[in-house]
């Protein structure tokens, strides 16, 4: 297969030749750099590439061109290659227009002319965009292949596990992808053994469970030491940040996650408000970077390893694990976050994982191609998912209880939704019940005003309604609020009698410390958390500083 393409478009022959030359000088080993002198020529090239089965990694287009503006060329390019990175080339005087276009047409970046020296002003941007494209792009590769039925909850669980551990795989759906029949027959796999995983060396794993897959893929599941300075439970943004800081400060640091790194943020298709990523970053990419950083600095990461309990003996914290094992640490940071609440409608539990998903739009987006889908919830995560899924689905129905989104969703997302012709806001509605043979097919929506019930055909339903903390593994001596979120710092004494019964130190709890000395909580698990990637990262980093102080005290 030929190298992926970077296509540059400019009607000024000198600029075109210059950018093509610079890009070739750096990327010709891995990419073909093609040039087009007009928007029409560029779109012809895009169509030709598609018909040949070639891959477009990036299009860089000048904005001011006769006949067709750069933003329109880039917009049309997205219809053919949705994953290709799209960059606008612009003069200093047009930067405001470029930033507007980034928001309106979902461009990935802009580059300012002239871009000299390219080592500082061109290559870092292009490097970054190509790196994120490579993460999302799934080439025709001969690595892991997972074969199963689209609407099987077990297939969904394995897909979710592989994706959250950043393991590249190819999903092959029985009855839809060619050659699956031949592949299964050659390996002697019966349809009722699905899903199965074909490893690169030809081994076939049947009767899949996550532990077995993790072991086979060589993921580390046992700790290297008997005692750690800090064990961080949960590898979402808070846990990952704590691991980076703990390791960088020379502490013996272990990070555990029951699933895979990334947490809720890992399921986000595009985080637009995290500092330092002006055009947004996918949760997968942010996680990949954080994991590499934490490991490079010396943190140990074990996934999937779930913690089921915590006891304290002589000041040492003993963590019990789901496989029966035990780990010991001087301090613990609880960063186990939260999940979405279950939707209380008839039929939901039966079809969960078979067309009904809590979060997880990225792993299932392909299955929604040209289908109708329903997203339930009025918050930012529901809005973000609706925007993302609108690229795949023919129709996205966003079901909300309120009359509008103003009170629950950020303005930029409301604006983006307003511009998408295939997104329909179904306000003052709830899901009454769902139905389907083996997978979701129909959703019955009830109007909160008239009580009328309407049928909505749907391939998938994504739920984002309220949250539940993962605090069950903590002992009862860790005080929580009425919803189960963990109290820390000054909040611990809101019920003074209970606090006095549990807290026996002569000092006050430190800011992120729970009512068990040396056990800290960070991120969404904490009562009063801000529920943002940046605040979780901030708290995770801050927790390490407090761990340090605690270790000096003991
Ligand atoms: C779809 C979506 C989009 C979002 N978009 C944005 C955005 O654009 N901007 C923004 O700022 N925020 C966004 N958020 C919110 C943000 O992702 C969260 O605030 C953030 O992830 C919280 O981080 P955390 O580390 O505290 O917890 P989480 O991300 O919840 O991570 C907790 C981790 O703990 C693990 N865990 C749980 N229990 C155990 C156990 N017993 N043992 C071991 N491991 C355990 C879980 O597997 C998980 O990996 C979004 C959330 C979602 C769901």
């Amino acid at each position: 297969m030929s190298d992926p393409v970077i296509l540059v478009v400019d009607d000024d022959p000198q600029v075109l030749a210059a950018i093509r030359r610079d890009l070739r000088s750096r990327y010709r080993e891995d990419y073909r750099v093609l040039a087009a002198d007009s928007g029409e020529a560029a779109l012809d090239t895009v169509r030709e590439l598609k018909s040949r089965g070639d891959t477009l990694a990036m299009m860089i287009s000048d904005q001011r061109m006769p006949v067709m503006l750069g933003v329109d060329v880039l917009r049309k390019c997205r219809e053919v290659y949705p994953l290709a990175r799209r960059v606008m080339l612009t003069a200093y005087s047009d930067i405001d227009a470029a930033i507007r276009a980034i928001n309106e047409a979902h461009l990935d970046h802009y580059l300012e002319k002239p871009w000299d020296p390219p080592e500082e002003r061109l290559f870092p941007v292009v490097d970054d965009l190509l790196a994120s494209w490579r993460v999302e792009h799934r080439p025709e590769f001969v690595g892991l292949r997972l074969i199963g039925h689209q609407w099987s909850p077990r297939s969904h669980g394995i897909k979710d596990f592989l994706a959250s551990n950043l393991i590249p795989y190819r999903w092959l759906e029985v009855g839809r992808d060619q050659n699956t029949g031949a592949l299964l027959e050659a390996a002697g796999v019966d349809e009722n053994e699905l899903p199965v995983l074909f490893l690169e060396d030809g081994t076939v794993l049947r009767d899949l469970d996550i532990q077995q897959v993790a072991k086979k893929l060589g993921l580390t599941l046992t700790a290297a030491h008997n005692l750690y300075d800090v064990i961080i439970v949960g590898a979402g943004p808070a846990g990952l940040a704590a691991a980076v800081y703990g390791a960088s400060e020379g502490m013996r640091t272990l990070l555990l996650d029951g699933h895979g790194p990334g947490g809720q943020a890992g399921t986000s298709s595009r985080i637009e408000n995290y500092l330092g990523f002006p055009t947004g970053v996918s949760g997968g990419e942010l996680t990949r970077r954080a994991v590499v950083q934490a490991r490079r600095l010396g943190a140990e990461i074990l996934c999937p390893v779930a913690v089921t309990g915590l006891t304290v003996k002589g000041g040492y914290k003993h963590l019990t694990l789901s496989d029966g094992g035990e780990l010991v640490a001087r301090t613990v940071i609880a960063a186990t976050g939260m999940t979405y609440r279950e939707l209380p409608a008839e039929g939901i539990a039966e079809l969960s994982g078979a067309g009904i998903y809590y979060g997880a739009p990225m792993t299932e987006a392909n299955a929604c191609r040209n289908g109708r889908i329903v997203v339930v919830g009025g918050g930012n995560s529901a809005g973000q998912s609706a925007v993302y899924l609108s690229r795949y689905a023919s129709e996205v129905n966003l079901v909300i209880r309120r009359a509008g989104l103003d009170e629950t969703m950020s303005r930029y997302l409301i604006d983006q939704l307003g511009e998408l012709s295939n997104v329909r806001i179904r306000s003052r509605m709830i899901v009454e019940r769902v139905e389907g043979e083996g997978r979701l097919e129909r959703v019955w929506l009830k109007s909160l005003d008239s009580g009328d019930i309407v049928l909505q055909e749907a391939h998938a339903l994504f739920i984002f309604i309220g949250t539940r903390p993962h605090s069950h593994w903590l002992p009862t001596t860790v005080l929580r609020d009425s919803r189960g979120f963990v109290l820390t710092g000054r909040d611990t004494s809101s019920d003074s009698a209970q606090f006095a019964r549990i807290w026996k130190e002569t000092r006050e709890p430190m800011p992120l410390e729970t009512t068990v000395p040396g056990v800290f909580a960070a991120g969404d698990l904490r009562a009063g958390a801000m529920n943002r990637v940046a605040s979780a990262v901030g708290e995770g980093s801050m927790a390490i500083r407090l761990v340090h102080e605690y270790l000096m005290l003991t």
Side-chain angles (χ1 to χ4, degrees):
M1 176 171 280
S2 49
D3 287 337
V5 170
I6 300 175
L7 177 59
V8 282
V9 195
D10 203 311
D11 61 321
D12 179 331
Q14 277 182 346
V15 177
L16 189 61
I19 192 159
R20 188 184 194 198
R21 182 198 59 226
D22 284 347
L23 289 170
R24 274 197 171 153
S25 73
R26 182 163 174 113
Y27 300 103
R28 71 165 163 253
E29 298 275 293
D30 302 311
Y31 295 87
R32 281 182 294 151
V33 182
L34 304 182
D37 58 10
S38 70
E40 299 85 326
L43 293 177
D44 284 347
T45 306
V46 166
R47 283 188 281 269
E48 205 182 310
L49 289 172
K50 190 74 187 178
S51 68
R52 285 208 305 253
D54 284 341
T55 314
L56 181 70
M58 180 182 291
M59 184 191 261
I60 302 177
S61 175
D62 184 34
Q63 166 68 341
R64 288 197 186 202
M65 296 188 292
V67 188
M68 197 184 273
L69 286 176
V71 63
D72 295 324
V73 181
L74 292 165
R75 209 191 298 257
K76 289 215 157 69
C77 165
R78 184 189 190 187
E79 289 165 15
V80 186
Y81 285 103
L83 292 183
R85 295 304 182 248
R86 294 164 315 128
V87 180
M88 181 181 283
L89 198 55
T90 183
Y92 179 72
S93 53
D94 284 337
I95 283 179
D96 282 348
I99 290 173
R100 269 202 309 280
I102 284 182
N103 287 331
E104 286 163 19
H106 308 289
L107 302 190
D108 294 295
H109 226 293
Y110 71 84
L111 282 167
E112 206 184 308
K113 287 191 272 190
W115 54 84
D116 281 327
E119 289 73 18
E120 278 176 29
R121 303 190 51 198
L122 177 65
F123 300 150
V125 170
V126 174
D127 281 352
D128 230 32
L129 292 172
L130 288 176
S132 68
W133 172 78
R134 277 196 300 270
V135 170
E136 284 182 33
H137 172 62
R138 295 274 174 262
E140 290 292 320
F141 77 145
V142 279
L144 287 185
R145 282 165 299 173
L146 176 67
I147 305 186
H149 294 289
Q150 177 60 54
W151 306 108
S152 136
R154 282 180 71 204
S155 299
H156 173 66
I158 301 290
K159 279 195 269 179
D160 209 28
F161 167 74
L162 293 172
S164 57
N165 280 283
L166 313 175
I167 298 165
Y169 69 97
R170 179 143 182 242
W171 163 245
L172 295 170
E173 186 185 330
V174 175
R176 182 162 160 170
D177 289 296
Q178 285 170 358
N179 304 331
T180 49
L183 209 59
L184 293 174
E185 202 180 315
V189 177
D190 200 81
E191 273 227 15
N192 58 27
E193 290 178 290
L194 297 178
V196 289
L197 193 63
F198 283 72
L199 305 190
E200 223 159 332
D201 64 3
T203 316
V204 186
L205 300 186
R206 301 149 200 254
D207 198 17
L208 297 177
D209 76 62
I210 285 174
Q211 295 286 335
Q212 171 210 19
V213 173
K215 274 196 195 122
K216 260 306 197 206
L217 297 181
L219 299 185
T220 319
L221 297 176
T222 44
H225 301 283
N226 296 329
L227 175 68
Y228 288 85
D229 292 322
V230 57
I231 294 185
I232 304 151
V233 188
L240 284 164
V244 165
Y245 276 84
S248 73
E249 296 196 6
M251 292 181 190
R252 190 174 275 179
T253 306
L254 175 66
L255 175 64
L256 307 171
D257 199 289
H259 197 62
Q264 297 167 69
T267 68
S268 169
S269 48
R270 198 169 164 104
I271 299 163
E272 305 233 23
N273 48 6
Y274 188 57
L275 185 73
F277 293 89
T279 53
V281 58
S282 73
E285 174 62 4
L286 194 63
T287 305
R288 188 184 65 80
R289 286 171 184 244
V291 167
V292 171
Q293 194 177 11
R295 285 217 165 104
R296 185 177 65 77
L297 290 167
E300 224 180 296
I301 305 181
L302 303 184
C303 299
V305 172
V307 174
T308 50
L310 166 69
T311 48
V312 184
K313 294 177 202 157
Y316 290 97
K317 282 82 190 166
H318 294 247
L319 293 168
T320 2
L321 310 179
S322 51
D323 64 3
E326 191 180 86
L327 292 168
V328 187
R330 297 170 73 196
T331 62
V332 166
I333 298 178
T336 42
M338 61 185 192
T339 40
Y340 284 88
R341 286 195 181 283
E342 284 102 46
L343 186 70
E346 196 186 318
I348 292 281
E350 293 76 9
L351 295 174
S352 216
I356 293 189
Y357 308 102
Y358 288 89
M362 285 179 85
T363 45
E364 297 305 329
N366 245 320
C368 302
R369 208 170 276 286
N370 303 322
R372 291 190 180 125
I373 63 154
V374 173
V375 176
V376 185
N380 279 355
S381 35
Q384 220 176 53
S385 303
V387 170
Y388 179 72
L389 293 165
S390 69
R391 290 196 216 162
Y392 295 84
S394 61
E395 185 183 304
V396 178
N397 291 276
L398 183 64
V399 175
I400 56 170
R401 299 179 76 103
R402 294 177 190 240
L405 294 165
D406 287 340
E407 287 168 42
T408 52
M409 198 179 284
S410 297
R411 190 72 244 165
Y412 80 92
L413 276 172
I414 300 178
D415 292 344
Q416 282 182 11
L417 288 171
E419 277 167 27
L420 294 168
S421 56
N422 60 341
V423 175
R424 204 171 146 202
I425 315 277
R426 313 290 294 265
S427 47
R428 304 275 309 139
M429 291 229 159
I430 55 167
V431 174
E432 173 77 1
R433 69 173 199 277
V434 296
E435 287 176 356
E437 292 304 313
R439 68 166 180 95
L440 177 74
E441 286 164 335
R442 292 171 294 280
V443 177
W444 300 89
L445 298 174
K446 180 176 174 185
S447 162
L448 289 174
D449 295 323
S450 62
D452 291 349
I453 292 179
V454 288
L455 168 66
Q456 173 64 55
E457 308 270 352
H459 283 77
L461 173 78
F462 295 87
I463 302 165
F464 298 89
I465 49 151
T467 50
R468 198 161 40 83
H470 291 293
S471 55
H472 53 276
W473 60 278
L474 287 162
T476 47
T477 42
V478 168
L479 291 183
R480 300 135 212 232
D481 70 6
S482 56
R483 297 192 303 145
F485 288 89
V486 172
L487 296 170
T488 54
R490 285 192 180 160
D491 293 344
T492 49
S493 52
S494 50
D495 180 340
S496 52
Q498 210 177 20
F499 175 74
R501 195 171 46 80
I502 289 174
W503 185 261
K504 299 296 172 200
E505 305 289 306
T506 49
R507 62 179 176 89
E508 296 292 299
M510 292 185 227
L512 297 179
E513 199 173 17
T514 67
T515 38
V516 173
V519 175
F520 297 82
D524 283 8
L525 176 71
R526 223 174 48 76
M530 294 294 158
N531 308 121
R532 293 284 179 277
V533 175
S535 51
V537 166
E539 290 184 12
S541 323
M542 189 175 143
I544 288 296
R545 169 69 203 277
L546 300 163
V547 160
H548 210 79
E549 278 181 34
Y550 173 84
L551 291 175
M552 306 283 273
L553 289 176
T554 52

